[in-house]
Amino acid sequence: MSWANQNYPEESIQLKAAFANSVAYLVTGLNGGYGGPSLREHLVSWTVETAGKASPGSWTFEKATAFSAPLCFSPTAKFLGRLAEIQEVEACFDDDPEDLLALRESRQGRSPLPSPEIQEIINSWLSGDYKKAIALTNLYSRRSGLRFCKGINRDGSPCGKVLAPQAKGDYCLRHRHQARKRLSMPPTS
């Protein structure tokens, strides 16, 4: 945090915290510290994953600082599309107010109504036709390139949460225990 305060004194506390958490994550491999995870922290971790960089926990402070600073302190417009994508699929906290304002303004032209494909999935869930909802979700997943959790809620409805690109497996954190159950189930004929 002191490096951020010294080199970016005019930036918001949220961006400085995202930077400090990101550097700590890259150097130690551990998350946490100054709140979050924020949009900018997710931006750093997504960029590490997609760029094929060294694994978190193996970076030097200098390399982590050089990598994280542009992602955390550049103007929102530089990463607006990626930040919007992150906001759609990740739980984010302690975000920079300017990031949130830019994202809100960029979405003003978007329709608040779901597409007809999504509406059909929603209608299937609401009517209790879960097999149809799952089939439509899988079809939409293949067409859109998005991955959805395959977990089943306690009421029998499908989870349907969008998984982050770097997520491993087919289940969100809440339903990951179901992956083990599915592997141990006897085959059905």
Side-chain angles (χ1 to χ4, degrees):
M1 183 69 94
S2 61
W3 188 95
N5 285 329
Q6 185 177 13
N7 291 282
Y8 293 92
E10 72 287 350
E11 296 296 346
S12 72
I13 189 66
Q14 291 90 352
L15 292 180
K16 291 176 189 175
F19 171 78
N21 287 346
S22 296
V23 170
Y25 172 64
L26 294 175
V27 173
T28 68
L30 302 173
N31 288 318
Y34 297 102
S38 67
L39 286 162
R40 296 293 181 128
E41 288 173 68
H42 285 299
L43 179 64
V44 171
S45 65
W46 279 31
T47 305
V48 167
E49 293 280 333
T50 58
K53 299 285 186 182
S55 298
S58 64
W59 294 59
T60 65
F61 175 79
E62 292 75 21
K63 286 185 179 180
T65 300
F67 182 81
S68 299
L71 295 168
C72 291
F73 297 118
S74 292
T76 309
K78 184 171 182 177
F79 302 109
L80 190 61
R82 191 67 162 170
L83 291 172
E85 186 181 346
I86 290 167
Q87 192 178 42
E88 292 281 329
V89 298
E90 297 283 4
C92 301
F93 308 94
D94 305 318
D95 293 310
D96 179 62
E98 288 185 27
D99 284 350
L100 295 175
L101 179 63
L103 286 164
R104 191 174 313 117
E105 288 174 353
S106 74
R107 289 195 167 105
Q108 284 181 344
R110 286 179 41 183
S111 169
L113 300 174
S115 69
E117 262 183 319
I118 297 294
Q119 190 60 54
E120 183 63 27
I121 293 170
I122 292 169
N123 291 342
S124 298
W125 284 1
L126 294 176
S127 69
D129 190 354
Y130 301 135
K131 286 185 179 184
K132 181 177 179 183
I134 292 169
L136 289 172
T137 300
N138 290 337
L139 179 64
Y140 181 75
S141 177
R142 282 192 293 279
R143 288 182 180 164
S144 68
L146 296 174
R147 294 186 314 126
F148 298 90
C149 175
K150 294 184 177 179
I152 304 297
N153 294 322
R154 289 182 185 189
D155 66 356
S157 64
C159 172
K161 178 180 179 183
V162 177
L163 298 173
Q166 73 270 22
K168 294 177 175 59
D170 294 324
Y171 296 86
C172 68
L173 291 176
R174 188 171 56 159
H175 294 106
R176 67 178 173 223
H177 67 281
Q178 292 179 2
R180 291 187 294 275
K181 287 182 183 176
R182 184 170 254 180
L183 291 174
S184 64
M185 292 175 67
T188 57
S189 48

